[in-house]
């Protein structure tokens, strides 16, 4: 079985082909970062228009990369949600139209399930059950995963997601959009003890997150430095970046430690765009060494949005005889707990 996957949930157009026997055999990705940089964030209408321009050429490129024709494709998977409604409609319309024309089944895939199971694309993959820390620009969640579609949300952000907080704080430091990765690079040059940011919601029980206050704390720190020094030097930017990143990472480590103790599990998966953060990966490695467990994460190219994870989830769902109706339906908001469980692949 070969599945064509299409991802258009936000500002990346991803197309990939997953082969049941060979694994991932094609992976094409186009990012819209340059398109949205002048606006300091994603403009939904521009994102949708760019997906329209790029999706068909990327499908052709993926087929060429795998040396296949449409007749060699057995099914199509597409991101049906959550995400920007216009962007989702582009991918779903293309996918449903091609599936109808090629007379093959199609299935709508949950974007965050794609991220959650992206480590399954690696040679060293986790066994169920495990704890998943999903950290991206739109989501921060701790999830107990007992199998495909068997998800229990243990905690989530009550306001800004971690990736969103990174980008907003980066903007305060004058960094270009998206600034999360640039902020992390600045943090590598920061002084450890100059500033200390709070660890939000760690002084109370529970596994929920809150990161909006850290953005405010960063803004106040920037204003304090400007008042004292008259300018924001490069070293001050590095020191603020270090303190901010240290607070976010430490908060997530504290919550993961609680989740491990609460569940008794010994495996943690980290996925989503922020999972590429070196400090977070190092912190989780140390945590799992403490628990005599293991941490798993996708390769860097599969941390951000991509078609490979959609193709893989589509394979699992289509293998389980799940098909989406011909009518084009997308879900900008879509709880993962609504997904069907796959207890045994057919």
């Amino acid at each position: 079985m070969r599945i064509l996957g299409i991802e258009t949930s936000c500002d990346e157009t991803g197309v990939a082909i997953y082969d049941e026997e060979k694994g991932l055999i094609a992976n094409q990705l186009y990012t819209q970062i340059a398109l949205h940089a002048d606006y300091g964030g994603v403009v939904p209408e521009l994102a949708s228009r760019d997906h329209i321009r790029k999706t068909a050429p990327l499908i052709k490129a993926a087929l060429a990369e795998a040396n296949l024709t449409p007749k060699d494709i057995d099914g199509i998977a597409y991101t049906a949600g959550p995400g920007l409604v216009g962007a989702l409609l582009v991918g779903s319309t293309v996918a449903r139209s091609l599936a109808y024309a090629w007379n093959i089944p199609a299935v709508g895939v949950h974007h965050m399930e794609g991220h959650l199971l992206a480590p399954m694309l690696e040679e060293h993959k986790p066994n169920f059950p495990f704890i998943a820390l999903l950290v991206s620009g739109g989501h921060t969640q701790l999830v107990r995963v007992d199998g495909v579609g068997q998800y229990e949300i243990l905690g989530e952000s009550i306001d800004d997601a971690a990736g969103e907080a990174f980008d907003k704080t980066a903007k305060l430091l004058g960094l270009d959009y998206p600034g999360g990765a640039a902020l992390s690079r600045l943090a590598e040059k920061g002084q450890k003890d100059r500033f200390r940011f709070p660890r939000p919601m760690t002084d109370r029980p529970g596994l929920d997150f809150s990161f909006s206050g850290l953005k405010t704390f960063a803004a106040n720190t920037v204003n304090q430095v400007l008042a004292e020094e008259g300018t924001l030097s490069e070293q001050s930017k590095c020191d603020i970046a270090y303190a901010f990143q240290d607070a976010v990472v430490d908060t997530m480590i504290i919550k993961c430690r609680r989740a491990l103790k609460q569940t008794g599990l010994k495996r943690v998966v980290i996925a989503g765009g922020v999972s590429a953060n070196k400090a977070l990966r190092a912190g989780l490695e140390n945590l799992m060494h403490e628990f005599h467990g293991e941490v798993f994460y996708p390769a860097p190219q599969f941390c951000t949005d991509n078609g490979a994870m959609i193709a893989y989830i589509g394979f699992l769902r289509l293998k389980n005889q799940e098909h989406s109706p011909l009518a084009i339906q997308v879900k900008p908001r879509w709880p993962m707990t609504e997904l069907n469980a796959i207890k045994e692949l057919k």
Side-chain angles (χ1 to χ4, degrees):
M1 177 181 279
R2 298 189 188 98
I3 304 302
L4 176 74
I6 301 174
E7 154 61 22
T8 63
S9 65
C10 190
D11 58 346
E12 267 97 20
T13 312
V15 177
I17 300 174
Y18 185 86
D19 186 288
E20 182 175 4
E21 296 180 356
K22 299 177 182 178
L24 188 66
I25 57 175
N27 185 39
Q28 298 287 324
L29 183 68
Y30 173 79
T31 180
Q32 301 177 0
I33 287 176
L35 176 66
H36 301 289
D38 290 342
Y39 304 95
V42 177
V43 181
E45 178 65 20
L46 294 181
S48 302
R49 292 181 182 184
D50 216 40
H51 286 308
I52 292 172
R53 286 191 287 266
K54 298 298 181 181
T55 303
L58 287 178
I59 292 172
K60 292 179 180 179
L63 289 169
E65 180 185 350
N67 195 27
L68 300 175
T69 70
K71 293 181 180 179
D72 299 311
I73 301 300
D74 301 300
I76 299 180
Y78 59 94
T79 303
L84 302 176
V85 64
L88 293 170
L89 282 169
V90 174
S92 61
T93 300
V94 172
R96 285 296 337 170
S97 299
L98 286 179
Y100 182 78
W102 296 351
N103 194 29
I104 56 177
V107 64
V109 168
H110 194 290
H111 178 75
M112 295 311 294
E113 183 177 40
H115 277 305
L116 188 152
L117 296 181
M120 297 298 186
L121 294 167
E122 306 303 316
E123 184 174 346
H124 182 51
K125 58 190 71 175
N127 294 319
F128 300 113
F130 56 78
I131 297 293
L133 175 63
L134 297 178
V135 278
S136 68
H139 296 80
T140 302
Q141 295 178 322
L142 271 170
V143 186
R144 178 184 173 123
V145 181
D146 289 301
V148 179
Q150 300 176 55
Y151 310 128
E152 178 189 356
I153 306 299
L154 302 176
E156 57 190 339
S157 179
I158 62 173
D159 41 53
D160 288 359
E164 183 180 5
F166 263 96
D167 287 340
K168 288 180 177 179
T169 301
K171 189 172 183 179
L172 290 172
L173 297 178
L175 302 176
D176 291 335
Y177 173 86
L183 184 148
S184 295
R185 289 192 292 271
L186 281 183
E188 294 176 0
K189 306 173 187 176
Q191 299 177 21
K192 182 177 181 180
D193 299 318
R194 182 177 176 189
F195 303 108
R196 178 173 173 79
F197 283 30
R199 275 58 174 161
M201 295 186 69
T202 58
D203 58 350
R204 66 189 76 175
L207 296 172
D208 286 337
F209 300 90
S210 172
F211 294 113
S212 65
L214 283 178
K215 177 195 64 179
T216 303
F217 199 94
N220 291 338
T221 304
V222 168
N223 292 332
Q224 175 189 334
V225 172
L226 288 173
E228 294 175 353
E229 302 178 3
T231 185
L232 192 64
S233 67
E234 191 67 18
Q235 187 58 52
S236 291
K237 290 181 181 179
C238 293
D239 296 342
I240 293 171
Y242 177 91
F244 172 82
Q245 177 176 269
D246 190 50
V248 173
V249 170
D250 197 28
T251 297
M252 289 194 281
I253 297 300
I254 290 170
K255 298 289 185 173
C256 283
R257 179 181 282 107
R258 288 183 185 177
L260 290 166
K261 290 181 177 179
Q262 177 178 312
T263 61
L265 298 178
K266 299 290 185 181
R267 288 181 290 271
V268 168
V269 160
I270 175 175
V274 184
S275 66
N277 183 279
K278 294 178 181 178
L280 180 57
R281 289 193 177 201
L284 282 174
E285 292 278 5
N286 291 334
L287 176 66
M288 297 317 295
H289 180 74
E290 173 188 329
F291 277 81
H292 304 287
E294 291 183 279
V295 59
F296 302 83
Y297 30 71
Q301 67 265 34
F302 301 136
C303 291
T304 53
D305 295 349
N306 62 87
M309 64 185 190
I310 303 305
Y312 175 69
I313 299 300
F315 158 71
L316 297 179
R317 297 269 169 205
L318 287 168
K319 187 77 171 177
N320 198 53
Q321 305 301 315
E322 292 187 34
H323 301 163
S324 294
L326 186 60
I328 296 169
Q329 299 175 337
V330 296
K331 299 179 180 180
R333 297 183 181 274
W334 187 7
M336 268 202 305
T337 51
E338 293 181 358
L339 295 173
N340 295 327
I342 301 178
K343 295 185 179 180
E344 184 177 352
L345 290 177
K346 299 178 181 178

